[in-house]
Every structure is written in structure tokens, then in C-alpha cells.
Amino acid sequence: MHYVLNQFRSKGNGCELDGSKCRPFDNTIFPFSCPANCASVEVLNPYAVGDQEVVYHPLVIGGSENGSRVLQAEKPVYRADSFICQAAIHAGVISNAKGGCGVVSMTGKQSSFPSVLGHNIQSFGFDSTFPKSFTFVTGLSSECGYSDPRWPLLGVTVTFTSILSIFCDSAAIFFSSVFVMLFFHVGLVSDPPNISDYPSLTSLIVERFLPAAFVAYVIFRFCVKPQLTGLTAQFEKTILWLGGAWVGSLNNYTFDKLPIQRLTPHDIQSQPGAIPALCVIVISIFLIALGQIWYLRLEGRFRRYLAIYAIMAAFLLICVAIPSLNLRIHHYILALLLLPGTRMQTRPGLLYQGLLVGLFISGVARWGFDSILQTSAALLGDGQTNSLLPNVTESMAGIANITFGWSLPPSPYDGVSVLVNDVERHRWYYGEGEPSYTSSRTQDGGLRKEYFRFGYMIGSAAGDYSKAGIWTTEGNWIPMQPGPSR
């Protein structure tokens, strides 16, 4: 079963020459199932679609048939690298609120994928041929009987934890029970990792739970126990501490609209609205810290906590100074850094502590214990690496043929990969003749623009590609703009 971010095509040259590793192209059907809230998923690294770049946006390409710019009710067609679940929402096969399931049919080569607005998702257009596409099987997709269980299960879990909070006056029993329930609710129900079968998913969540339980004991011993021991205001504990824990653990709903997907310098600088949002968050944390400092002074603990946070700050500065590694503040790390300042038994402390415990649960159950120090490659993922780009020249262009040449690759590169319409069509290596490539096209079915991108290779692994140059229907060549693409 396909799930949330599945595609029928890999990025760059991941499908290898002529897309051979991403077959079959047509005459095949696949079942799929999708949870709720798939429409909120965005592409975090620039993704090339012809001469366009998709980033911080759902990845849906096409959505109509026969070139129409109106969503086709019967048979919308999508480029194969569209996210399946988002395409299903765009087509109206499933709803974003409830999720759903159905059957995908591979429809092979298509010559145009117009941009279409459907069910609050604006798809991207692609005005050339692509060898692989898909649509949804009418009837089967609407009769699968799937219903996302997260909302009924959320009601059950919230009710049970609320009853426990009201009637349980033991800090240890309350915290341990709530931690276990919230952890497995996040990992298996509300925000599971992108794994399509429940045995593998359950195995992964249990694997993450064991170290998380040890950290939870430390959190309880030094932060939660002083806060909750002897507390008799059960309804305030339920509303503030437990309510905050639910808000934090349901991070994919409560904070999902904040325009900060990752706390990295690249994302903060490039994502629209990230800098103002970060300023608001920093100011809010600063004001909250001032309030907590006031309570610490009243309890006579200010100097002790100042020393603790000075040690934390020194550790972070050391991490920043380590060469070849980057500091990455994940959800769970932010929670661990701030939790010591919430042990005072106050109403704001109850709220802040519950919220931070929820953020810790959300971060670990969904993403695991990612390192606080990561290499640049790990931070980039499948993003642009700023590798060298080939110096490509067009030596001959006409309506039927176009020829390109390039200079020999510098060390350590040993080859050049050529993408035509985002599909690898040619590889050249040292010793395989002249460094050139000729592409041909026929007028069968009408001429279409073609998009060319070039990238150096080491073995079969490609670095960044150039931006797309365009071979027009009139036989003219529009050179690539400066800069990389992926």
C-alpha cells in the first residue's frame, strides 16, 4: 500500500537511463491508502519540474486530461512524480480531513500536464512529454471503506487521560501513564513515520520508546516530580499540564501552519515568513523566560539555574565550533533545554511543562533521536549540494535535432548525465568518444518544448544539475539560467 509521500519516480537520475528502474510505465494498477492531513505536506528542498522549481508547496503535477485546465471529474491524469495522496485529494478521490484509499492505474506516456486548482491544491503544470503518469480507477477508489481512525482514537485517548488526570494524585503514576499513551498515540495514530505496514511501524515505535522512556524518567525525576508532587488542583493540572501536553504532542496540527519546517539557516532564510515567525517565537520564549526567572528568584534558585543554563550554553557553543558539523536543534532537544526551567509549581509552569513534554514526545515518536550535530550532507538530504556544473554549449539547433557539447569533467568527476524532460536520457564517461549529445524529435502528435539539464557524475551518482535550458518548438535554444537544480 502506498502512503503519504510515495511517488512512482525518483529525483534526478534515481530512475537511471530512460527510467528503467521506475518501470512499469503503464497497464498496471496499485492500491493505496492515505491518512488524514496529507495536503499539509510540503516539498522542503527545491524540486525541478521542467524550468520550474517546487519548494514549500505540495507536489502535484497535472490533474486534467487532453490538455484541459479544468479538473476532470472522471479521469484526472498526473505526472508520476506527484505525491499520490496529495493527487488523490486534488482529484477528489479522498478527503484531506479523513484520508482514504483507492486504486491507482498507470497510464504511461502523456504529452501535457496543465496546472489545475482542485480541492484547495494548486497543481504545477508541465507542457511537454513524460513517460509515466497515473490516474485513479473510478468506482474502486470510492468504495474501499477506509476511514482514518485518528479522530475516534484521539477522543478515546483524551477522555482516558483526562479522567486519569482528575482522579490520580500520584505524580509518578500520572506521568508514566500519560507519557506511554501519548507516545504510542503519536507514533501509531496521529503522526506516524512514513511507513506503510503496521508491523514495521510498530517495531520502529517500540525501538524508539525504550530510550525515550529512560529520558522520560530523567525528566520526571528532575522536572515533573517537583512540579506535580503534592498538587491538589486536579482540574488545573488537567487543563494546563495535560492540555499543554496534548497541544505539544499534536505538533503536526497545532504548530503545522508556522512557516518554519526546519531550524536550519538555509530554511530560515529561504522559506517565506520564516524570519518573522522565528522572531515572534524567540520574543515569546524570552518573555516566558523572564517570568520563570522571577519565580526562580522568589524561590531562591536563580543562581543555581543560571549555572545550569550557562553550562548548556557553553555546550551549544562548543557544538557550533566543531568543524565539518552543524548544530541542529530538534523538537526534542528544544524541549530538553527548556524543561529544567519549568519545575516551579505555578500555573504558567504547569502549562509550559506540559507543552514541552508534548513536544519531546512528538519529536522522538515521529522522527527519532536525530543527532544534535549533523553533517552538511545529512542536513541537505536530497537538496542542492552546490557541486560544480558542466560547461555546456549548444553547437547546432534545429526543429528536428539539437546537439550539445561540454568540456571534460574535472577530478573527481568522470562523467556527465543528461536529463531530458526530467528523465535521464544519456550518460557520457571518459573514454566513450566525444563529450557531446544529440537529441532528436519527430512531429508525431505535434512538437513540444523539451527541457534539458546537465550534471556531473562520479560513477552512477550525479551531483547537482544545471537549471533547465529549453529547446523550443521553433527549433531555437534558450540557454540555462545560472545556478543548480535537483
Side-chain angles (χ1 to χ4, degrees):
M1 298 290 279
H2 297 286
Y3 197 67
V4 191
L5 301 183
N6 284 105
Q7 302 167 275
F8 293 115
R9 172 187 174 266
S10 299
K11 200 172 187 178
N13 69 339
C15 288
E16 297 193 353
L17 278 172
D18 300 321
S20 59
K21 288 189 68 176
C22 294
R23 291 182 179 275
F25 292 167
D26 55 12
N27 297 321
T28 307
I29 61 174
F30 297 94
F32 71 92
S33 65
C34 305
N37 203 36
C38 289
S40 66
V41 177
E42 296 179 340
V43 178
L44 299 183
N45 290 317
Y47 186 93
V49 178
D51 61 344
Q52 305 169 87
E53 197 170 71
V54 181
V55 64
Y56 305 123
H57 195 280
L59 183 56
V60 180
I61 306 167
S64 71
E65 192 178 26
N66 301 322
S68 171
R69 292 186 177 274
V70 179
L71 185 67
Q72 302 292 303
E74 294 298 322
K75 197 176 181 182
V77 178
Y78 299 91
R79 217 174 83 159
D81 48 349
S82 303
F83 288 158
I84 300 168
C85 291
Q86 292 184 341
I89 295 170
H90 182 269
V93 173
I94 65 174
S95 72
N96 185 52
K98 297 181 179 180
C101 62
V103 177
V104 163
S105 174
M106 309 309 300
T107 52
K109 181 178 179 181
Q110 299 291 325
S111 59
S112 182
F113 301 85
S115 174
V116 180
L117 176 64
H119 300 92
N120 297 317
I121 295 178
Q122 180 68 55
S123 70
F124 286 85
F126 182 67
D127 56 354
S128 191
T129 57
F130 198 79
K132 189 174 183 179
S133 62
F134 66 86
T135 188
F136 299 99
V137 178
T138 305
L140 293 178
S141 295
S142 60
E143 297 174 0
C144 62
Y146 177 88
S147 178
D148 193 313
R150 68 181 64 192
W151 298 117
L153 289 176
L154 175 64
V156 171
T157 313
V158 167
T159 301
F160 190 85
T161 54
S162 299
I163 294 173
L164 177 69
S165 176
I166 293 170
F167 293 101
C168 178
D169 58 2
S170 169
I173 294 175
F174 167 74
F175 176 77
S176 59
S177 301
V178 169
F179 183 87
V180 171
M181 285 187 281
L182 263 64
F183 192 93
F184 282 96
H185 182 88
V186 171
L188 297 176
V189 181
S190 67
D191 193 17
N194 190 35
I195 298 176
S196 57
D197 63 284
Y198 273 100
S200 299
L201 176 62
T202 303
S203 174
L204 178 63
I205 296 305
V206 171
E207 173 189 323
R208 292 175 177 177
F209 175 74
L210 293 178
F214 172 76
V215 178
Y217 171 77
V218 177
I219 292 173
F220 173 78
R221 174 67 178 81
F222 294 101
C223 303
V224 176
K225 186 177 180 181
Q227 174 71 265
L228 298 183
T229 299
L231 184 67
T232 58
Q234 300 296 85
F235 285 98
E236 292 186 16
K237 179 182 74 174
T238 303
I239 294 171
L240 297 175
W241 199 99
L242 182 62
W246 273 111
V247 169
S249 63
L250 296 176
N251 172 63
N252 56 320
Y253 287 95
T254 53
F255 299 115
D256 187 61
K257 298 303 180 183
L258 290 176
I260 301 178
Q261 297 294 333
R262 298 175 297 190
L263 280 175
T264 62
H266 174 270
D267 279 40
I268 291 170
Q269 293 171 10
S270 60
Q271 188 168 3
I275 293 178
L278 181 62
C279 291
V280 171
I281 292 172
V282 170
I283 292 172
S284 299
I285 292 176
F286 176 74
L287 294 176
I288 290 170
L290 289 180
Q292 294 302 99
I293 289 172
W294 172 255
Y295 291 119
L296 286 171
R297 286 179 62 86
L298 292 178
E299 292 189 3
R301 300 174 183 268
F302 175 69
R303 290 186 179 181
R304 178 182 175 185
Y305 276 81
L306 183 62
I308 293 173
Y309 277 98
I311 294 172
M312 290 183 181
F315 172 74
L316 294 178
L317 290 175
I318 292 172
C319 291
V320 171
I322 296 176
S324 303
L325 290 172
N326 300 277
L327 178 66
R328 177 81 184 276
I329 304 295
H330 301 279
H331 291 81
Y332 79 92
I333 293 174
L334 181 64
L336 292 177
L337 290 173
L338 298 178
L339 270 167
T342 65
R343 63 175 281 162
M344 299 79 69
Q345 202 172 76
T346 64
R347 290 184 179 88
L350 279 171
L351 176 61
Y352 304 150
Q353 188 175 97
L355 182 64
L356 292 172
V357 169
L359 284 176
F360 172 80
I361 292 171
S362 172
V364 175
R366 178 61 177 89
W367 305 105
F369 284 97
D370 276 358
S371 174
I372 192 173
L373 291 173
Q374 293 185 309
T375 63
S376 297
L379 285 178
L380 287 170
D382 61 354
Q384 298 166 0
T385 62
N386 294 319
S387 60
L388 291 176
L389 299 175
N391 181 20
V392 178
T393 57
E394 164 266 327
S395 59
M396 182 182 67
I399 292 180
N401 299 282
I402 188 169
T403 300
F404 301 95
W406 50 83
S407 55
L408 296 178
S411 179
Y413 303 106
D414 59 359
V416 171
S417 170
V418 182
L419 303 185
V420 182
N421 292 342
D422 303 328
V423 177
E424 189 176 42
R425 295 301 188 184
H426 182 69
R427 290 183 180 183
W428 175 89
Y429 290 98
Y430 272 114
E432 294 187 352
E434 292 295 319
S436 64
Y437 171 64
T438 298
S439 179
S440 304
R441 64 184 176 188
T442 65
Q443 298 189 35
D444 296 342
L447 293 177
R448 296 280 181 181
K449 290 180 183 177
E450 292 195 357
Y451 299 91
F452 292 80
R453 295 190 285 139
F454 302 82
Y456 284 133
M457 292 194 302
I458 302 175
S460 61
D464 288 342
Y465 284 89
S466 65
K467 293 188 181 298
I470 305 174
W471 184 19
T472 68
T473 56
E474 294 80 17
N476 299 318
W477 171 247
I478 301 176
M480 295 83 73
Q481 295 296 315
S485 68
R486 290 290 277 185

